[in-house]
């Protein structure tokens, strides 16, 4: 029987370093929720299908249920808790609020992180590109129309913010 | 579910990984992207005592285009390969197929070499590798050997790799300028494994088909080439590929397969669609080859 040693791992989550004592088998998702205390990241299927656990690892959207926390040491991890600043929703969260982009909300944290990754790579996506970009995130409420609409609105808000930043 | 206990080894060199693997070949698994292995561990279909992690090894994520070859290191992410302009120029077929591998979140982490070694018969990368041809570089504590694409896939999730070997790279043969390709799969949803799919690569010389390579995936225990269809095409003038020949190719493709029934589709449906996709693969590949010639 394999012994089950724990090791100290330092995770950088939303810019803040967290030292955790964990077994190698703990997934990043579980460690974020149970050790770091950030329960915004949700776990649905735990085998990479549903996308609820999507976080950003060095800016790339990944499944936190398919990465062990020990593998994430040294990387910049971004979760849904890092989006709002001083209680003010960021432009993607605001777009989801304005366009009824969530119903039960279970998939929302993963959706928001996937949208951030999508818009970082493609700031002005077509509807088709939005659908392809989000096809790894399932919504059991099937609110996809409004999720696509919210994402388009977030892209437009990002574009407006960029052009006003340029103008000023 | 959660994976059973294991010891994680963050390797700093290939030699370190090979030494660990050699100490307990049957109790160890090599992890790169982990997008197939970790689901299997979470579902407790795999329970290695040791996880030999290649990710920290410097220099193993290479994407190298050579003369007539493309070599990908064991930790080259699918997303990095998909976005490489050099890869698209050398092997547009690979770029096109990558868009169908899982979802963006999977490709950000998953690797091309890992997908080939996982050897899911309905997956895209093994079929592309078999069609383009090339070799797997297999390293063990005893030395290094090359395994040709046609000798690599043994059965469902089973390859010619020994338990103490690591596929440190895969080299694809890249087609020359007078070839055309087609990739198509039938799935329930974008990003799913294929119910059935085709990869085709035709090369023209002096207006005739000089080389034909067609692979069906999702129709057997491994991706399979279609020698009967390939023989039908080699030597034929591009202008002579007509509806009759395409129909014959479709019949030969269907006849070469004995896929089973499952929850996604019946064997008969898979056999029929394999024929349709084969004909389409030939037609589109020829159009692409003719446009370039």
């Amino acid at each position: 029987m394999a012994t089950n040693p724990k090791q100290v791992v330092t995770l950088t989550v939303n810019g803040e370093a967290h030292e955790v004592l964990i077994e190698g088998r703990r997934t990043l998702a579980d460690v974020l929720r149970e050790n770091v205390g950030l329960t915004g990241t949700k776990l649905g299927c735990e085998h990479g299908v549903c996308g609820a656990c999507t976080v950003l690892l060095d800016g790339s959207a990944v499944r936190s249920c398919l990465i062990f926390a020990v593998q994430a040491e040294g990387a910049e991890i971004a979760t849904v808790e890092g989006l709002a600043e001083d209680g003010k929703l960021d432009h993607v969260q605001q777009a989801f609020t304005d366009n009824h982009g969530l119903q039960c909300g279970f998939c929302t944290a993963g959706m928001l992180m996937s949208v951030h990754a999508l818009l970082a790579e493609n700031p002005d996506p077509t509807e088709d590109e939005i659908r392809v970009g989000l096809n790894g995130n399932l919504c059991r409420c099937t609110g996809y129309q409004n999720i696509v609409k919210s994402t388009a609105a977030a892209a437009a808000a990002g574009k407006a913010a960029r052009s006003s930043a340029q103008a000023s | 579910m959660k994976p059973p206990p294991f010891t994680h080894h963050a390797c700093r060199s290939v030699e370190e990984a090979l030494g660990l693997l050699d100490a307990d070949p049957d109790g160890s698994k090599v992890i790169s992207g982990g997008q197939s292995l970790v689901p299997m561990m979470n579902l407790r279909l795999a329970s290695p005592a040791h996880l030999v992690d290649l990710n920290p090894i410097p220099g193993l994520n290479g994407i190298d285009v050579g003369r007539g070859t493309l070599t990908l290191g064991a930790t080259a992410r699918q997303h990095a390969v998909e976005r490489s302009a050099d890869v698209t120029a050398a092997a547009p077929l690979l770029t096109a197929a990558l868009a169908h591998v899982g979802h963006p979140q999977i490709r950000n982490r998953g690797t091309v070499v890992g997908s080939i070694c996982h050897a899911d018969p309905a997956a895209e990368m093994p079929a592309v590798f078999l069609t383009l041809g090339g070799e797997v570089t297999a390293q063990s504590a005893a030395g290094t050997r090359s395994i040709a694409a046609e000798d690599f896939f043994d059965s469902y999730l089973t390859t010619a790799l020994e338990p103490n070997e690591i596929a440190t790279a895969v080299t694809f043969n890249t087609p020359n300028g007078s070839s055309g390709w087609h990739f198509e799969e039938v799935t329930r949803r974008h990003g799913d494994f294929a119910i059935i799919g085709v990869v085709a690569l035709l090369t023209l010389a002096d207006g005739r088909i000089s080389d034909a390579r067609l692979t069906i995936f999702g129709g057997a225990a491994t991706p399979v080439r279609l020698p009967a269809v390939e023989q039908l095409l080699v030597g034929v003038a591009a202008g002579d590929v007509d509806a009759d020949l395409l129909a014959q190719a479709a019949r030969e493709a269907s006849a070469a397969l004995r896929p089973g029934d499952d929850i996604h589709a019946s064997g008969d449906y898979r056999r029929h669609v394999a024929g349709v996709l084969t004909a389409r693969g030939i037609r589109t590949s020829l159009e692409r080859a003719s446009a370039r010639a």
Side-chain angles (χ1 to χ4, degrees):
Chain A
M1 186 64 205
T3 51
N4 214 1
K6 292 188 177 183
Q7 60 189 100
V8 176
V9 175
T10 305
L11 297 177
T12 308
V13 188
N14 303 325
E16 207 177 301
H18 297 265
E19 209 170 79
V20 291
L21 181 66
I22 52 168
E23 289 175 55
R25 66 172 173 148
R26 301 286 305 288
T27 64
L28 178 59
D30 280 338
V31 170
L32 286 172
R33 290 175 54 83
E34 294 165 16
N35 298 69
V36 181
L38 298 176
T39 53
T41 300
K42 299 293 185 275
L43 275 163
C45 70
E46 294 190 84
H47 62 281
V49 174
C50 77
C53 69
T54 302
V55 301
L56 303 187
L57 195 73
D58 288 331
S60 294
V62 297
R63 308 283 204 230
S64 61
C65 76
L66 297 188
I67 293 178
F68 296 111
V70 291
Q71 298 182 292
E73 190 158 36
E76 291 284 340
I77 302 157
T79 69
V80 69
E81 287 89 349
L83 297 183
E85 263 182 73
D86 301 327
K88 187 179 179 299
L89 299 181
D90 82 353
H91 68 288
V92 179
Q93 292 172 308
Q94 192 59 52
F96 271 67
T97 306
D98 295 342
N99 292 280
H100 197 56
L102 60 149
Q103 291 172 58
C104 85
F106 192 86
C107 72
T108 307
M111 288 284 179
L112 292 171
M113 302 321 283
S114 287
V115 170
H116 268 281
L118 169 69
L119 296 182
E121 198 167 292
N122 181 0
D124 194 14
T126 63
E127 184 182 327
D128 203 44
E129 287 167 343
I130 292 172
R131 288 179 186 276
V132 170
L134 296 182
N135 68 15
N137 292 76
L138 303 185
C139 167
R140 286 298 302 268
C141 308
T142 70
Y144 294 108
Q145 302 298 340
N146 285 342
I147 290 168
V148 171
K149 210 166 115 188
S150 302
T151 305
K159 206 171 163 182
R162 278 191 307 278
S163 53
S164 72
Q166 269 167 8
S168 63
Chain B
M1 283 173 64
K2 316 295 179 190
F6 58 82
T7 305
H8 176 259
H9 303 275
C11 299
R12 296 285 159 188
S13 69
V14 172
E15 290 68 31
E16 182 187 353
L18 292 174
L20 286 162
L21 203 54
D22 212 52
D24 185 6
D26 295 320
S28 304
K29 282 297 278 183
V30 174
I31 185 167
S32 180
Q35 301 299 286
S36 301
L37 178 60
V38 181
M40 291 179 75
M41 291 172 69
N42 287 357
L43 295 167
R44 302 210 171 195
L45 298 170
S47 49
H50 297 277
L51 206 56
V52 178
D53 193 341
L54 304 183
N55 285 288
I57 300 176
L60 208 56
N61 62 346
I63 300 174
D64 299 306
V65 177
R67 297 190 110 191
T69 62
L70 164 66
T71 300
L72 302 177
T75 58
R77 310 276 178 214
Q78 288 156 353
H79 180 258
V81 177
E82 187 184 359
R83 301 281 288 187
S84 161
D86 290 344
V87 170
T88 304
L93 161 60
L94 177 58
T95 308
L98 274 167
H100 297 270
V101 177
H103 310 289
Q105 298 88 340
I106 298 290
R107 300 198 292 276
N108 280 336
R109 189 75 187 163
T111 67
V112 174
V113 173
S115 175
I116 288 170
C117 292
H118 184 60
D120 191 305
E124 295 81 5
M125 290 300 103
V128 170
F129 179 46
L130 191 60
T131 307
L132 288 172
E135 60 191 37
V136 173
T137 302
Q139 283 186 248
S140 71
T144 302
R145 66 176 178 134
S146 292
I147 308 169
E150 55 269 30
D151 300 326
F152 191 67
F153 301 106
D154 283 347
S155 185
Y156 293 100
L157 313 184
T158 310
T159 70
L161 276 179
E162 297 294 336
N164 69 336
E165 286 182 315
I166 297 174
T168 50
V170 169
T171 299
F172 296 84
N173 299 329
T174 53
N176 70 23
S178 52
S179 65
W181 56 273
H182 184 66
F183 176 93
E184 187 169 355
E185 64 179 23
V186 172
T187 58
R188 289 280 181 200
R189 294 162 296 258
H190 185 103
D192 281 7
F193 284 100
I195 289 172
I196 195 92
V198 70
V199 187
L201 183 69
L202 299 182
T203 306
L204 293 178
D206 301 324
R208 289 180 183 278
I209 298 171
S210 59
D211 189 28
R213 303 172 70 93
L214 285 110
T215 301
I216 293 288
F217 58 105
T222 66
V224 285
R225 293 270 301 273
L226 299 171
V229 177
E230 295 171 358
Q231 282 161 23
L232 205 58
L233 296 170
V234 171
V236 175
D240 290 344
V241 177
D242 56 10
D244 285 346
L245 187 63
L246 290 176
Q248 199 184 341
R251 278 196 301 277
E252 293 284 2
S254 297
L257 301 168
R258 292 278 175 281
D261 301 336
D262 66 22
I263 190 171
H264 303 294
S266 69
D268 281 346
Y269 176 79
R270 285 191 166 88
R271 204 157 41 233
H272 171 74
V273 177
V276 173
L277 294 184
T278 296
R280 220 177 269 172
I282 295 166
R283 204 169 50 227
T284 309
S285 298
L286 266 185
E287 283 167 12
R288 284 201 167 105
S290 303
R292 296 177 75 185

